[in-house]
């Protein structure tokens, strides 16, 4: 389930919009946000990018993807585990 905690502060109608996601798992969040943007005002152009994606992610959701990561929990570059490891200058796998 996607929960919106803050709405857009500027209208998107006629604007070029770029959504950037940290990790694309299933693609449901990006798909939801892209649909929401279309419903809120018809942007002139909408694109989605991700810094990483898992094998099960939807190929049609993010047009440009960064790292291909395994289906395991990762930390680093802003990704955290219980508020730890966010500042690592690399992406690392977390041992269970």
């Amino acid at each position: 389930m996607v929960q919106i905690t803050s709405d857009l502060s500027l209208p998107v109608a006629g604007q070029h919009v770029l959504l950037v996601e940290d990790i694309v798992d299933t693609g449901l969040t990006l798909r939801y946000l892209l649909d929401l943007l279309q419903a809120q005002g018809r942007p002139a152009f909408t694109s989605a990018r991700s810094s990483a994606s898992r094998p099960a992610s939807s190929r049609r959701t993010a047009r440009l993807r960064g790292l291909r990561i395994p289906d395991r929990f990762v930390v680093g570059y802003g990704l955290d585990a219980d508020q730890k490891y966010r500042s690592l200058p690399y992406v690392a796998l977390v041992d269970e």
Side-chain angles (χ1 to χ4, degrees), residues 25-70:
D25 283 307
T26 62
L28 292 177
T29 301
L30 271 179
R31 179 81 269 149
Y32 179 87
L33 292 173
L34 289 167
D35 291 345
L36 182 65
L37 283 172
Q38 289 296 320
Q40 284 190 352
R42 293 296 213 188
F45 176 78
T46 306
S47 186
R49 305 291 189 253
S50 71
S51 56
S53 62
R54 299 194 196 277
S57 67
S58 170
R59 293 177 185 251
R60 289 176 273 148
T61 304
R63 293 188 184 131
L64 179 64
R65 300 178 200 186
L67 298 173
R68 303 278 183 186
I69 59 173

Side-chain angles (χ1 to χ4, degrees), residues 1-93:
M1 180 175 118
V2 178
Q3 181 180 12
I4 305 294
T5 58
S6 179
D7 204 353
L8 298 170
S9 58
L10 299 171
V12 296
Q15 299 298 312
H16 291 251
V17 177
L18 173 64
L19 292 176
V20 180
E21 175 74 283
D22 54 0
I23 297 177
V24 175
D25 283 307
T26 62
L28 292 177
T29 301
L30 271 179
R31 179 81 269 149
Y32 179 87
L33 292 173
L34 289 167
D35 291 345
L36 182 65
L37 283 172
Q38 289 296 320
Q40 284 190 352
R42 293 296 213 188
F45 176 78
T46 306
S47 186
R49 305 291 189 253
S50 71
S51 56
S53 62
R54 299 194 196 277
S57 67
S58 170
R59 293 177 185 251
R60 289 176 273 148
T61 304
R63 293 188 184 131
L64 179 64
R65 300 178 200 186
L67 298 173
R68 303 278 183 186
I69 59 173
D71 196 14
R72 292 187 47 204
F73 198 82
V74 295
V75 293
Y77 277 124
L79 303 169
D80 71 274
D82 295 324
Q83 303 298 320
K84 298 176 188 167
Y85 313 113
R86 182 183 303 269
S87 62
L88 290 176
Y90 53 85
V91 174
L93 297 173

